[in-house]
Amino acid sequence: MKIPLSWLKEYVDFEDTVAGLADKLTFSGVEVEGIERLGGGVPGVVVAEVLAIEKHPNADKLSLCRVNFGGPAEMTVVCGAPNVAVGGKYPFAPLGTTLPAGFTIEKRKVRGVFSEGMLCAEDELGLSDDHAGLMVLDAKWAPGTPLAEVLGPPETVVEVEITPNRPDCLSLLGIAREVAALYGTTVKRPDETLAETDPAAETATSVAVEDLVDCPRYTARILRDVKVGPSPDWMKRRLEAAGIRAINNVVDITNYVMLECGQPLHAFDQKLLAEGRIVVRLPKPGEKILTLDGVERTLEPQMLVIADAVKPMAVAGVMGGEHSGINESTTDVLLESANFRPASVRATSKKLGMLSDASYRFMRGVDAELAEFGSRRAAKLMYELAGATLLRGVVDVRSEPKRPWTVVCRPARLEALLGIAATPEEIAQVFAALELKVLKSGPDAVEVEVPTFREDLTREADLIEEYARIYGLKKLPPVRSMATIVPDADDKPAQAQARLRDVLVGLGLQQIMHYSFLAEGLLDLFDQDNAPNRAKLANPLTADHTVMRDALLPQMVETIGLNFSRQVAETAFFETGRVFRLGPDGKPAETDHVAVGLFGPTGRTGLDKFKPVDELEAFLWIKGLWERAAAALNLRGAALRPADRPWSEPGRGMEIVVDGAVVGWLGLLKAEIAKEWRIHEPVGLLEAEAKPLVKDVEAMQPLVPPPSFPSIRRDAALIVGADVRHERVVEVARAAAPAELEKIELFDVYQGKNLGEGRKSMAYAFTYRSKTGTLTDETANGFQEKVNAALKAQLPAEIREG
Amino acid sequence: MDIKEVDGLTAQALAELAGAADGTALEALRVKYIGRNGMLPGLMQGLKDVPAADKPAMGQALNRFKTGVTAAVAERKAALEAVAKAAKAGAFDLSLPGRWPRRGRLHPIQQLIDRTSAIFRRMGFTVADGPDVETEYYNFDALNTPADHVSRDVQDTFYLPGGLLLRTQTSAVQARYMESRKPPVRIVCPGRCYRRDTTDATHSANFHQIEGLYVDEKVSLADLKGDIDHFARELMGPGVKSRFRTHFFPFTEPSVEVDFSCHMCGGKGCRVCKQSGWIEIMGAGMVDPNVFKLAGYDPEQVTGYAFGMGIERLAMILFGIDDIRRLYENDVRYLAQF
């Protein structure tokens, strides 16, 4: 809301700078969003017309302008502005003028040519920061007209944001009340005494309100002999400074009074109302209305309307109708000053997509007691400015009026809540300044009667806030922060999740983050089978955010694709986040997941990075990453089992099993899906539930002392069929070996022509160690012979010993 | 051979050894003079024919030959090796790029969640969690937001099947937590929130907040000020201060907006704080008595404060991020810089 300060000062006195006022308002809850200065002028600066333009002989960017400024002679001025044009009118500072920046215009040479005055931009006149070009003035102004006349008297406009709890501040009088409380002055209320004439208004019209819930009050006043015409300049200027376009005196007065006191008003041409009367009702089926903005709108059943004897004439509290509006020939005015239920106006305004100054106020709540004042005030101005004759009295239909209520504030409670001590007198003084009626003031309680316009003050805490904001939050005493430990509160789950992220970062992964919702097509690409379990947004905003993610991998792969398309040849990502699936009850349930995506030579260093990555390598990296992560998380009872997923390349996937339950999957991305992002290299992926992975982070394995005796290593190269698996080799060797076999390590796999078709060589190192003594070579050889014999017979294998 | 001749031979051997060009030449000389089939054994053999009186002197001369040559061979060998090593050192390229498989990083949003949580943990807060999918009750009703109140318009909400919604604020955790335990309560809750905002440089329909709640006997607005001042200093720097402005939230009374003095200019005014010297950081206030009543706490027995702030906004301020969308774009060339 825009507050022209000269207008505000009509209702309240205060001694402060604009910045000081803005500061006080902002800290007390009326946030100042901007300060704008209008009008004024600089003494001596006048309108000038540019008659001719020549290029400056010594400077490309300067021109020489012949100007007529209404003086005795034309002047030549050097000008650098890009927007100067022949015939244009601009502010002109003649020789001897002192500009706001403090310098005086003198006749002096600019690059060798005399300049006799200065054409001005807005910043040079102190009007704004704009220095893009000369300030362009309307062509109607004659050369020599003082700038002050062009711009009007100086005005400062303060723009404020009013929070939803303070609809009483949506007016100049409301702001004046705040200012008065902050500066310890009083509000000067405008005059609303009327000179009325017979007959009484009720003989000239009638009002029927069919729904007193949605329309708790409707007042109508009748004005005759109205002369519609332009408003006086002072009123136009105020309206425009407040951001409302002036139309004619009658309409302008309704707007002026709304800005003044917060009561929205509407003026009907009574002659255009069938039977000259008002019916407030719900619309009949199929009823339409042509609103003032020229749009025909179909009314829905719950939209309250102001109708005449026949049809709707206005949408209640939102906008007037075209057919009953004030026009040049209007003489009889029915002045509406009514009150409507906020929720009703909000619903209607939203459905129709119409937000007006009136609906904005009604939606937030207008005091029903204000209707009478607003009506009287507007009638008085119409009497003064539009020559209206006022019929006696007002037709007032209303529900039971709301009575003021009492609230108690205990000084002890105030101190407990704010940490500031205050005496009952100090508290009472603040309340009185806010126009709360102090009924009682004692050490135990300050009791006030709250006026109806402060619906937000119903409880002690509300009053305490009033005290705090008027007293000044800047004066809150500095209290030393004290760490307070709450017994038995613990955040182990949060710490465990942090540990999971730390482990993945430690393994060299970059964390990424995606939105929780996305386009369903991407999810379908990875797992169409889960489509029935997805949670769809009931009211999505954009087509690419329609459904909650049921997995993390789709966005993971999309991001790998995005980076790949930007020539990033290697990415190692992880994401932790929530996935959403409909439960058996049809309601979305959420689970914390973790996902990993590896693309490019992520397991290599140095020059090796430039060799292509084959499928097996890529698979072993994602598997290896899982093994390292599980070890770092101390995870027990975990295993991998071959299993394909809809997104995984057949035969390249495994499921992650923890304590017998499948909690996730890892494997290589299906080539068909990878093609969507033009990826032709293998992509290693993993997705799992996060919680089962961190179940053992705090557990410790029983400690084992390091071995006391040296080990002996024996190597063996096995020539086996190409389909013999590492797993099988280990199984056979373990079964044949004694307890002294400590570990089996594969250190080479080779397939070559010299081995023959369908065969491969696997080289293993076997480490033996005894817990009771140092092994001899002979013993180790004996162990290895047993192992070799078993491998030869059971795989079968040829063996070259190392 | 007399002593003079032996000494002459010694001198010759030393001279030849000093001139040996490489390992091979050196070895040949060693064999020639002191090898098993070289000169030394023959000379030693000849010692027995030397008259007894001359024997000690001859013995010493032969010893000079043996030790002199042996030392010279070792010396020359070391010298030649040093030269060879020096020659090799030039081929050891220290300027090659270093090798280590990779480096990991947390996302900047995560970094700020962790940083803010760590500060509050130090102050005795526990990190709590709540669901992203909420009920109308916990997101609005339990936070004292009347059904037909305009503030439900302010936060336009995404709805899901079953009458559920995506929480618009982490404040939804407050009531859940209070229902589950008795005071005192001292928690922070970082988490995801959602608002039906059109995404642009400064708005994101999916974003993060961190919420704080402290409930105990005699918690005051001044305590909130003290704690927030402390947080401001820990997060943004030792000179940073906070200030409160009266505001409105349905779930706190009094309600304030909190500004921190600009960490870039120290409050003098700069581009970061839009010349004001202050940066709006969070909303806060004293827990509304209705919120306590709904959670089953007696507002006469306990008071409390609550605060909430946007993590993305903090990230933009602290890291100088110009466009919130970059945080969710996940271009690794950008993320790896944090």
Side-chain angles (χ1 to χ4, degrees), chain B residues 148-169:
Chain B
D148 63 345
H149 199 275
V150 68
S151 65
R152 292 208 191 194
D153 277 354
V154 174
Q155 298 170 346
D156 225 341
T157 309
F158 283 115
Y159 285 89
L160 286 164
L164 297 170
L165 51 82
L166 292 175
R167 66 176 170 194
T168 58
Q169 51 202 6

Side-chain angles (χ1 to χ4, degrees), chain A residues 542-578:
Chain A
T542 56
D544 53 346
H545 298 147
T546 58
V547 60
M548 302 305 289
R549 55 180 173 180
D550 58 8
L552 301 180
L553 286 182
Q555 289 158 309
M556 166 69 69
V557 171
E558 187 174 53
T559 287
I560 290 174
L562 171 112
N563 281 279
F564 177 62
S565 74
R566 295 177 181 177
Q567 298 174 297
V568 178
E570 179 186 347
T571 42
F573 290 139
F574 82 96
E575 177 168 17
T576 52
R578 289 192 169 148

Side-chain angles (χ1 to χ4, degrees), chain A residues 23 26-31 161 163-165 341 343 346 350 363-364 410 413 415-419 456 459-465 468-469 473-474 476-477 479-491 494-495 501-502 504-517 535-541 545 548-549 559 562-563 566 568 570-576 578 580 582 586-588 590 592 601-607 609, chain B residues 99-111 113-114 121-133 144 147-151 153-154 156-162 164 166-167 177 181 184-186 192 194 196-199 203-206 208 214 216 218-223 225-227 230 243-248 252-257 259 280 286 288-290 299-304 327-333 335-336:
Chain A
D23 196 62
T26 295
F27 279 87
S28 64
V30 175
E31 188 177 348
E161 192 200 330
T163 51
N165 60 324
R341 190 168 66 91
R346 186 160 78 248
K350 227 177 165 178
M363 275 158 60
R364 275 149 212 268
R410 293 163 293 175
R413 179 72 180 174
E415 187 178 353
L417 205 59
L418 300 179
D456 59 315
R459 304 157 314 161
E460 189 176 30
D462 303 327
L463 292 184
I464 292 173
E465 176 175 71
R469 66 185 193 86
L473 289 173
K474 281 183 179 171
L476 266 186
V479 168
R480 188 162 68 102
S481 177
M482 303 284 270
T484 306
I485 302 301
V486 177
D488 74 283
D490 96 87
D491 58 9
Q495 288 174 31
R501 289 189 294 269
D502 287 349
L504 295 175
V505 167
L507 289 167
L509 304 186
Q510 165 73 52
Q511 186 186 21
I512 55 176
M513 275 194 193
H514 297 100
Y515 274 18
S516 297
F517 31 61
K536 290 185 182 133
L537 293 178
N539 57 340
L541 190 61
H545 298 147
M548 302 305 289
R549 55 180 173 180
T559 287
L562 171 112
N563 281 279
R566 295 177 181 177
V568 178
E570 179 186 347
T571 42
F573 290 139
F574 82 96
E575 177 168 17
T576 52
R578 289 192 169 148
F580 304 81
L582 295 181
K587 291 183 175 178
E590 51 197 283
D592 286 323
T602 48
R604 299 204 201 119
T605 64
L607 309 181
K609 289 218 184 261
Chain B
R99 288 187 193 175
W100 193 253
R102 46 191 338 95
R103 171 196 86 162
R105 280 273 178 174
L106 289 174
H107 190 281
I109 291 175
Q110 187 73 53
Q111 290 182 30
I113 289 175
D114 290 355
R121 271 200 176 106
R122 224 165 73 71
M123 295 162 72
F125 286 81
T126 299
V127 176
D129 194 12
D132 288 15
V133 176
N144 193 37
D148 63 345
H149 199 275
V150 68
S151 65
D153 277 354
V154 174
D156 225 341
T157 309
F158 283 115
Y159 285 89
L160 286 164
L164 297 170
L166 292 175
R167 66 176 170 194
Y177 197 86
R181 49 160 56 239
V185 165
R186 196 163 164 92
R192 262 188 190 204
Y194 309 84
R196 235 171 133 265
D197 276 340
T198 304
T199 297
H203 294 85
S204 181
N206 174 132
H208 295 77
Y214 176 35
D216 204 342
K218 294 183 182 166
V219 176
S220 75
L221 192 67
D223 292 322
K225 180 81 164 77
D227 286 354
H230 178 80
R243 70 174 189 188
F244 287 4
R245 284 181 283 109
T246 304
H247 200 71
F248 168 73
T252 46
E253 186 80 22
S255 301
V256 295
E257 276 192 325
D259 302 330
E280 190 181 318
M286 301 307 293
D288 193 283
N290 286 351
E300 283 296 308
Q301 296 299 315
V302 292
T303 54
L327 290 169
Y328 291 99
E329 186 186 24
N330 295 306
D331 186 320
V332 69
R333 297 168 299 177
L335 290 187

Side-chain angles (χ1 to χ4, degrees), chain B:
Chain B
M1 199 171 262
D2 60 17
I3 291 168
K4 220 175 172 183
E5 281 170 324
V6 171
D7 283 342
L9 193 61
T10 305
Q12 181 198 329
L14 295 184
E16 279 179 26
L17 281 166
D22 54 27
T24 320
L26 180 66
E27 180 61 10
L29 288 169
R30 188 190 67 81
V31 169
K32 175 179 161 192
Y33 289 109
I34 57 173
R36 205 179 299 170
N37 301 310
M39 287 181 184
L40 184 63
L43 291 172
M44 294 300 278
Q45 204 78 72
L47 188 60
K48 64 177 190 302
D49 303 327
V50 176
D54 293 343
K55 257 186 190 165
M58 189 59 172
Q60 282 168 10
L62 284 173
N63 201 39
R64 278 198 296 279
F65 175 78
K66 183 185 170 185
T67 55
V69 171
T70 305
V73 166
E75 191 186 322
R76 186 62 190 156
K77 193 175 175 191
L80 286 172
E81 273 171 7
V83 169
K85 205 169 173 188
K88 232 179 170 178
F92 188 89
D93 188 350
L94 294 164
S95 72
L96 283 175
R99 288 187 193 175
W100 193 253
R102 46 191 338 95
R103 171 196 86 162
R105 280 273 178 174
L106 289 174
H107 190 281
I109 291 175
Q110 187 73 53
Q111 290 182 30
L112 270 177
I113 289 175
D114 290 355
R115 242 168 97 179
T116 48
S117 302
I119 296 169
F120 287 117
R121 271 200 176 106
R122 224 165 73 71
M123 295 162 72
F125 286 81
T126 299
V127 176
D129 194 12
D132 288 15
V133 176
E134 264 300 358
T135 59
E136 288 254 7
Y137 178 77
Y138 287 111
N139 197 69
F140 290 123
D141 302 339
L143 293 169
N144 193 37
T145 314
D148 63 345
H149 199 275
V150 68
S151 65
R152 292 208 191 194
D153 277 354
V154 174
Q155 298 170 346
D156 225 341
T157 309
F158 283 115
Y159 285 89
L160 286 164
L164 297 170
L165 51 82
L166 292 175
R167 66 176 170 194
T168 58
Q169 51 202 6
T170 41
S171 313
V173 177
Q174 283 186 18
R176 280 186 178 277
Y177 197 86
M178 284 194 280
E179 278 177 8
S180 73
R181 49 160 56 239
K182 295 205 172 317
V185 165
R186 196 163 164 92
I187 55 165
V188 286
C189 170
R192 262 188 190 204
C193 306
Y194 309 84
R195 284 184 200 172
R196 235 171 133 265
D197 276 340
T198 304
T199 297
D200 60 25
T202 53
H203 294 85
S204 181
N206 174 132
F207 62 101
H208 295 77
Q209 281 186 340
I210 185 165
E211 176 84 8
L213 175 68
Y214 176 35
V215 180
D216 204 342
E217 288 167 14
K218 294 183 182 166
V219 176
S220 75
L221 192 67
D223 292 322
L224 173 65
K225 180 81 164 77
D227 286 354
I228 292 304
D229 267 340
H230 178 80
F231 171 73
R233 287 190 298 270
E234 287 243 334
L235 182 71
M236 320 230 344
V240 172
K241 292 190 285 286
S242 78
R243 70 174 189 188
F244 287 4
R245 284 181 283 109
T246 304
H247 200 71
F248 168 73
F249 303 109
F251 35 97
T252 46
E253 186 80 22
S255 301
V256 295
E257 276 192 325
V258 183
D259 302 330
F260 287 1
S261 62
C262 181
H263 60 299
M264 295 302 283
C265 61
K268 287 200 268 312
C270 68
R271 196 179 53 81
V272 172
C273 58
K274 296 190 185 104
Q275 308 304 329
S276 72
W278 295 90
I279 303 172
E280 190 181 318
I281 298 285
M282 63 170 89
M286 301 307 293
V287 178
D288 193 283
N290 286 351
V291 172
F292 279 145
K293 279 184 204 155
L294 288 165
Y297 285 15
D298 180 358
E300 283 296 308
Q301 296 299 315
V302 292
T303 54
Y305 67 63
F307 58 83
M309 68 195 118
I311 297 289
E312 277 80 354
R313 184 172 159 70
L314 277 187
M316 293 180 83
I317 293 163
L318 285 172
F319 296 138
I321 294 166
D322 58 346
D323 189 331
I324 204 167
R325 287 167 295 198
R326 289 202 193 283
L327 290 169
Y328 291 99
E329 186 186 24
N330 295 306
D331 186 320
V332 69
R333 297 168 299 177
Y334 191 72
L335 290 187
Q337 296 175 51
F338 290 92

